[in-house]
Amino acid sequence: EKVIRIEAINALRRLRYTMPRKIQSILMPIYKSRSETPEIRMIAMRKIMETKPEQVVVDQIVRLMEVERDPQIRAFTYKTLKTISEVPEIHEETVHHVKKALTTVDTEFYENLNNRVLRWTVKNENNRYGVSVDLHSLFTKDSVLPKELITTMDAILGGKWYEYFAQLGFSQQNVDEILNKLLHKLLETDMEHLVVRGKRSTLYRPAE
């Protein structure tokens, strides 16, 4: 069920510009709900920010971040907002809204939190060509492996900004469990092999 819900949320990106408020009304309750898994909440928050939200929506996200109990969600939310605030090419109004909202928070506190949003930007001297790459990774407490990795590339071609020029990612569920079972199986096989080989060497030991 969780995998289906994640795919459904990701599919909303096709409507982020044509029906932004509708997407916000669907995803904001998910981001707010503490009964939801952190993974789904973080994905919902990121998708909201892709809709070019107005100031009131950004302010609401920051207020929720301030009272959030899960440090992982707080760190992810802050780093996502900070990344947006540092890249004016994304959307000028969105950047302005985010910068204004972040003036109310203790940035030193959030900088010390563990975060997993990285961004690289390369441009030529006159800013006519370049690329900007975001790497988002979602980690949850029940797994040492990322539940989702998404790479988003924005591009500048001939001085024109192309947001979300390309996007590539993957999500996984229960891979840790599968790997653990495989590891235990390999260990059991190795132990069985050693035991059998030990028995054979004892059985066929040449007489002195």
Side-chain angles (χ1 to χ4, degrees), residues 38-53:
E39 182 182 359
I40 290 180
R41 293 179 65 193
M42 288 186 281
I43 292 173
M45 179 268 168
R46 190 176 66 239
K47 294 305 175 186
I48 291 173
M49 294 309 302
E50 290 180 3
T51 64
K52 300 180 180 179

Side-chain angles (χ1 to χ4, degrees), residues 136-154:
H136 292 261
S137 58
L138 292 184
F139 285 80
T140 55
K141 296 176 181 178
D142 60 345
S143 176
V144 297
L145 298 174
K147 288 298 184 74
E148 182 177 83
L149 280 175
I150 292 184
T151 300
T152 302
M153 185 179 73
D154 304 328

Side-chain angles (χ1 to χ4, degrees), residues 12-183:
L12 291 175
R13 67 179 179 272
R14 301 173 184 174
L15 305 174
R16 60 179 177 260
Y17 299 142
T18 57
M19 302 177 65
R21 292 185 179 179
K22 181 66 175 179
I23 293 177
Q24 293 164 12
S25 66
I26 294 173
L27 297 182
M28 186 63 78
I30 295 176
Y31 175 63
K32 292 170 62 175
S33 176
R34 290 175 179 168
S35 63
E36 292 283 0
T37 63
E39 182 182 359
I40 290 180
R41 293 179 65 193
M42 288 186 281
I43 292 173
M45 179 268 168
R46 190 176 66 239
K47 294 305 175 186
I48 291 173
M49 294 309 302
E50 290 180 3
T51 64
K52 300 180 180 179
E54 298 177 355
Q55 186 71 62
V56 63
V57 177
V58 178
D59 289 344
Q60 185 178 5
I61 289 177
V62 171
R63 286 196 299 269
L64 291 170
M65 178 185 71
E66 288 280 75
V67 298
E68 177 57 50
R69 297 175 183 174
D70 190 322
Q72 184 181 19
I73 294 178
R74 295 185 79 177
F76 181 86
T77 301
Y78 173 75
K79 187 59 179 179
T80 300
L81 294 174
K82 183 185 177 185
T83 300
I84 292 173
S85 71
E86 294 174 344
V87 186
E89 296 92 345
I90 289 180
H91 183 241
E92 187 175 351
E93 288 187 11
T94 303
V95 171
H96 173 73
H97 297 333
V98 171
K99 284 184 176 180
K100 183 178 179 181
L102 288 180
T103 59
T104 63
V105 306
D106 182 357
T107 56
E108 184 177 355
F109 167 78
Y110 286 100
E111 290 291 346
N112 291 329
L113 287 177
N114 184 32
N115 51 65
R116 302 179 185 275
V117 183
L118 303 175
R119 186 176 184 92
W120 297 272
T121 301
V122 179
K123 303 176 185 177
N124 68 341
E125 293 182 358
N126 58 9
N127 290 333
R128 288 186 57 81
Y129 297 94
V131 294
S132 185
V133 179
D134 281 338
L135 176 62
H136 292 261
S137 58
L138 292 184
F139 285 80
T140 55
K141 296 176 181 178
D142 60 345
S143 176
V144 297
L145 298 174
K147 288 298 184 74
E148 182 177 83
L149 280 175
I150 292 184
T151 300
T152 302
M153 185 179 73
D154 304 328
I156 303 175
L157 301 175
K160 187 174 181 180
W161 179 258
Y162 293 90
E163 189 177 7
Y164 303 112
F165 184 77
Q167 191 173 64
L168 178 66
F170 82 93
S171 60
Q172 61 87 10
Q173 298 292 330
N174 302 323
V175 171
D176 296 63
E177 183 179 344
I178 295 173
L179 291 177
N180 283 331
K181 289 181 179 179
L182 180 61
L183 179 60

